[in-house]
Amino acid sequence: MVLESLVSDLLNRFIGDYVENLNKSQLKIGIWGGNVVLENLRVKENALSEFDVPFKVKAGQIGRLTLKIPWKNLYSDAVVATLDGLYLLVVPGATIKYDELKEDLYQQEAKQKELQHIEEAMQLAASREKPQDQKKDSFAEKLATQVIKNLQVKITSIHLRFEDDLSDPERPLSVGVTLSELSLQTTDENWKSCILNEAAKISYKLGRLECLCAYWNVNSPIFYKGSWEDIVDQLKVGISSTDLEIPHYQYIFKPIFASAKMCINPTAELELKSPKLDLNLEVQNIDIQITRPQYLSVVQALESVDCSVRSAPYRRFRPEGSVHTNAKLWWDYGYKSVLQDHRRRVRTSSWSSIKKHRDNLKAYKLAYKNKILNQKLGAEAERTLQDLEKDLDVFNITLTRQQAHMEVIRSGQAGGKNAAGGQKKGGGGGFFSSFFGKKNKKEEPEEREEVSGSGLDELMTAEEKQKLYTAIGYSGSSHSLNLPSQYVAVVLRFQLCKTSVTVRDQPDVPEILKVEMLDLSTRISQRPGAQAFRVEAGLQKWFVTGLQQGGVVPSLMSPVSDSSSSLLTLEFEVNPESSKADQLLRVRSQSVKILYDAVSASCSLLPVSCFLLPVSWFLVNLSSDHFMFLS
């Protein structure tokens, strides 16, 4: 079936890049049978490469991934996706021994992913430019829409942990996040679980989050030096709310429970009566507690991450021993690291290197043009493309591909199949002909002076240049002509009933400073027709207390009156509808009482005066007033 192939491709695409032992043939058989069960999948070492962070996965496992597809009753049963157990241990990249072959392989995989994302973005942009014939949805399209409407997702037992004993070997650090359950199910307009039929246009989703916790351990035991199996077994500890008293787990916030209600209307932009996406997120309580050792560890960890980012390009030269016992090796490490950048600059500026680079670009253009004209290439041609892509960077590869496509279209040689496998019709040149071909008779967006003077006028026609702007996400116009400027397409609401931040010197001593906020609400709305968005935030109450003295807890900040109005309201809008300003900011505040306590200030993690004085100045100057920024 078409949908079986679609599900198989999606799972291979979104899971295959992150796990090692995924059996794709068994996956396809499982989908055909109606149930997919994948167990004990190992996470790849470079699973975090897309985030461009200097960390590696030391050990990771997906316990059980289940996908239930009722092929015979898709209109009466829901498709259920369940993930039970995700355990991940992340360490600094310098902790893992450098392997040149692995690093080269990971770099090529990352480059190919980036090139694939660019091609998909260009294909999506070109498909939007092509005129679409109004026709009824096919059976496969309706079936896929029905599956998405009734999709149910359940994720349980998540433990993600980061360990670092390089920054301070005497005081190892471990940071982790645990999650008991996260679920998403389809409901009706009354938020009751149900199965939507094909005629339902609006989808309602109800999400729940159970027991989300985070810990920051100072002088922590280290897991990553053990075996892979031992690491996973230790990560399985501390998932449920009953395990919060486990030794060596210093939680920085207690379990968080939240619910989300989401309304999705795919046809909203045609009717213009309701938002396309309406999300309402509600969190009952967030209780954050931090101690002096944790705060100092946070500062040290941030410095360590910055150092890891700067030293990542020189990992191949880094020795394994300590600095004190291997001074000669570390001096050699610094010498090679400095010379690497110098030699690269000298090499790339030589005439021989420039000539080689130009030859590679010409060879790659010819090879890629051959791929456009002949979809099936021989083994030798494929090998040539791969070898050239290893030497060239993403920018040059993308630019050369665009030049190859334009030359093929201009020469009229795109008579067969294009790179995407589509058949040419009427001299249109398939997919890329729509990308660089004729344009509908619409008003041309006004182009910016710096772009028009960049030399593109000499290389492309106006139509080709506009297609390129669409592909890279550039627009010379200030707004979209497809939607009215007043139409609100996306609405996000966030409601936090209670929030508290507690500062202590040690975990078991009285609190030094406590900040408590009640009824914090935020609303974010977007108007794509005017490239505008609006942020509205309100805070009902705000209390700050200090260190207990003689049985009395001093109140450092509290509202003066018991007014029902909000203590603080903030409105920020880009391209406001009610004003000619580019940006609009309004802030309103009620009167507050502020007390300075010397004992609390001297004992606090950060001096209370550094926190209270700017806040008091801000509130006093904004009390019963508002202002506007014009640009």
Side-chain angles (χ1 to χ4, degrees):
M1 291 179 62
V2 176
L3 196 56
E4 292 173 3
S5 177
L6 175 63
V7 175
S8 177
D9 292 341
L10 287 175
L11 287 176
N12 282 322
R13 177 178 178 184
F14 292 105
I15 300 178
D17 293 338
Y18 304 102
V19 298
E20 295 179 349
N21 53 337
L22 179 62
N23 191 328
K24 298 183 179 181
S25 60
Q26 291 296 325
L27 175 60
K28 192 170 184 179
I29 293 174
I31 294 175
W32 181 80
N35 290 287
V36 179
V37 180
L38 303 174
E39 295 182 335
N40 300 327
L41 299 176
R42 286 201 175 196
V43 181
K44 291 182 178 180
E45 182 181 307
N46 66 326
L48 302 177
S49 59
E50 290 187 8
F51 302 101
D52 195 22
V53 291
F55 307 137
K56 298 287 185 180
V57 176
K58 179 64 178 181
Q61 174 182 292
I62 298 177
R64 184 184 181 91
L65 179 62
T66 305
L67 184 63
K68 181 181 178 182
I69 308 176
W71 296 112
K72 297 181 180 180
N73 300 304
L74 281 174
Y75 285 89
S76 58
D77 294 335
V79 176
V80 181
T82 305
L83 190 151
D84 184 14
L86 173 59
Y87 312 105
L88 206 64
L89 178 62
V90 180
V91 295
T95 305
I96 300 178
K97 186 177 180 180
Y98 182 82
D99 188 330
E100 186 174 358
L101 294 178
K102 275 188 176 181
E103 291 295 329
D104 291 342
L105 179 61
Y106 293 157
Q107 289 179 6
Q108 291 303 317
E109 288 181 355
K111 183 186 293 186
Q112 291 301 325
K113 286 181 182 179
E114 188 172 355
L115 290 172
Q116 183 180 359
H117 292 161
I118 293 174
E119 291 290 339
E120 291 175 352
M122 294 174 60
Q123 184 176 358
L124 179 61
S127 63
R128 290 175 177 173
E129 290 291 326
K130 294 172 63 176
Q132 300 291 335
D133 296 332
Q134 294 184 355
K135 59 180 181 180
K136 295 183 178 180
D137 294 337
S138 65
F139 171 76
E141 291 172 343
K142 289 186 177 181
L143 199 59
T145 303
Q146 181 67 17
V147 170
I148 295 174
K149 283 182 179 179
N150 295 308
L151 178 64
Q152 296 184 9
V153 180
K154 186 177 182 180
I155 302 174
T156 58
S157 301
I158 307 297
H159 190 173
L160 311 179
R161 180 182 174 98
F162 169 77
E163 294 182 350
D164 180 15
D165 62 347
L166 293 179
S167 304
D168 188 356
E170 301 298 328
R171 297 170 63 85
L173 164 71
S174 66
V175 183
V177 177
T178 63
L179 174 64
S180 178
E181 181 177 332
L182 176 65
S183 62
L184 180 68
Q185 60 180 345
T186 302
T187 66
D188 56 16
E189 61 273 12
N190 298 318
W191 307 107
K192 302 293 183 181
S193 181
C194 70
I195 302 296
L196 298 179
N197 55 31
E198 189 271 339
K201 295 182 179 180
I202 303 177
S203 300
Y204 298 91
K205 300 289 183 180
L206 178 63
R208 296 186 183 277
L209 185 143
E210 303 286 340
C211 193
L212 173 64
C213 305
Y215 60 87
W216 191 291
N217 298 337
V218 182
N219 197 15
S220 167
I222 296 299
F223 297 167
Y224 80 88
K225 295 183 179 180
S227 64
W228 190 92
E229 291 77 11
D230 292 339
I231 293 174
V232 174
D233 290 339
Q234 290 175 319
L235 290 175
K236 292 180 180 179
V237 180
I239 301 300
S240 64
S241 58
T242 58
D243 296 328
L244 291 179
E245 302 301 326
I246 296 177
H248 309 299
Y249 280 74
Q250 303 170 14
Y251 285 89
I252 56 177
F253 59 79
K254 295 181 179 179
I256 295 177
F257 299 85
S259 63
K261 297 179 180 180
M262 182 168 54
C263 177
I264 305 173
N265 186 359
T267 62
E269 293 183 350
L270 300 178
E271 301 172 353
L272 301 178
K273 294 181 179 180
S274 61
K276 186 175 183 179
L277 174 63
D278 192 339
L279 174 63
N280 190 358
L281 176 63
E282 182 177 352
V283 182
Q284 292 298 323
N285 184 21
I286 297 181
D287 186 5
I288 302 174
Q289 299 189 13
I290 185 170
T291 62
R292 180 187 296 271
Q294 288 177 324
Y295 171 77
L296 298 176
S297 178
V298 170
V299 176
Q300 186 179 23
L302 294 176
E303 294 177 353
S304 176
V305 170
D306 181 64
C307 182
S308 299
V309 171
R310 286 181 292 172
S311 62
Y314 316 107
R315 278 195 60 218
R316 65 180 65 194
F317 308 126
R318 183 185 177 92
E320 296 183 7
S322 63
V323 178
H324 300 287
T325 58
N326 301 274
K328 184 178 179 180
L329 294 177
W330 282 89
W331 275 110
D332 185 61
Y333 164 62
Y335 168 77
K336 292 180 178 178
S337 299
V338 173
L339 281 185
Q340 175 180 267
D341 293 337
H342 176 70
R343 287 170 177 170
R344 178 182 56 82
R345 288 192 294 266
V346 172
R347 184 176 62 253
T348 55
S349 61
S350 64
W351 282 111
S352 59
S353 177
I354 295 174
K355 183 178 183 303
K356 181 181 178 181
H357 178 68
R358 291 295 302 163
D359 292 341
N360 288 340
L361 292 178
K362 292 178 182 179
Y364 186 77
K365 184 192 297 184
L366 291 176
Y368 197 74
K369 286 171 67 175
N370 187 28
K371 181 178 180 179
I372 297 173
L373 298 174
N374 304 287
Q375 186 181 8
K376 293 183 179 180
L377 296 178
E380 186 66 25
E382 286 285 354
R383 194 178 303 110
T384 301
L385 276 174
Q386 294 175 2
D387 293 340
L388 291 171
E389 287 178 351
K390 290 181 180 179
D391 296 333
L392 299 173
D393 57 13
V394 174
F395 173 78
N396 283 287
I397 292 174
T398 305
L399 183 61
T400 306
R401 286 183 177 182
Q402 294 303 311
Q403 293 174 351
H405 285 303
M406 286 190 293
E407 290 182 6
V408 168
I409 295 171
R410 288 178 176 178
S411 62
Q413 295 177 349
K417 291 183 177 181
N418 55 37
Q423 191 73 22
K424 178 186 175 182
K425 296 181 181 180
F431 158 65
F432 284 100
S433 66
S434 68
F435 204 85
F436 296 102
K438 294 182 178 180
K439 184 178 180 181
N440 295 334
K441 293 182 179 179
K442 295 181 179 180
E443 184 179 355
E444 292 285 348
E446 184 179 354
E447 300 172 0
R448 298 182 180 178
E449 295 180 0
E450 62 270 20
V451 177
S452 62
S454 61
L456 292 177
D457 295 329
E458 301 176 358
L459 299 176
M460 305 179 186
T461 63
E463 291 80 4
E464 293 171 346
K465 188 165 55 178
Q466 182 57 37
K467 298 295 183 181
L468 180 59
Y469 290 166
T470 304
I472 65 177
Y474 171 81
S475 176
S477 60
S478 60
H479 62 279
S480 173
L481 300 177
N482 299 327
L483 296 174
S485 60
Q486 68 274 13
Y487 171 67
V488 179
V490 178
V491 177
L492 307 178
R493 299 181 183 88
F494 175 72
Q495 181 71 32
L496 180 57
C497 299
K498 181 180 179 181
T499 308
S500 62
V501 180
T502 305
V503 178
R504 304 177 187 272
D505 191 40
Q506 295 294 335
D508 299 328
V509 301
E511 58 195 35
I512 298 174
L513 180 70
K514 184 175 182 180
V515 181
E516 188 174 9
M517 294 175 285
L518 302 179
D519 293 335
L520 175 63
S521 60
T522 304
R523 185 180 186 273
I524 302 175
S525 57
Q526 181 195 22
R527 292 183 290 116
Q531 289 189 348
F533 71 90
R534 178 183 176 89
V535 179
E536 302 172 69
L539 178 62
Q540 191 68 25
K541 300 294 182 182
W542 188 356
F543 300 96
V544 180
T545 57
L547 179 66
Q548 181 177 353
Q549 307 163 41
V552 178
V553 178
S555 177
L556 306 183
M557 178 181 292
S558 61
V560 173
S561 62
D562 296 332
S563 174
S564 59
S565 59
S566 299
L567 174 66
L568 179 67
T569 60
L570 182 146
E571 299 176 9
F572 176 73
E573 190 171 3
V574 175
N575 295 331
E577 185 179 5
S578 60
S579 173
K580 296 182 179 180
D582 295 329
Q583 297 178 357
L584 176 64
L585 174 65
R586 290 192 180 99
V587 182
R588 297 182 179 89
S589 171
Q590 300 293 330
S591 301
V592 294
K593 179 182 179 181
I594 298 175
L595 174 67
Y596 177 80
D597 182 62
V599 177
S600 300
S602 61
C603 297
S604 64
L605 189 64
L606 293 174
V608 179
S609 58
C610 296
F611 168 75
L612 291 180
L613 292 179
V615 174
S616 61
W617 179 91
F618 182 74
L619 294 177
V620 169
N621 283 274
L622 298 179
S623 179
S624 303
D625 197 3
H626 69 276
F627 60 90
M628 178 186 303
F629 283 148
L630 300 178
S631 61

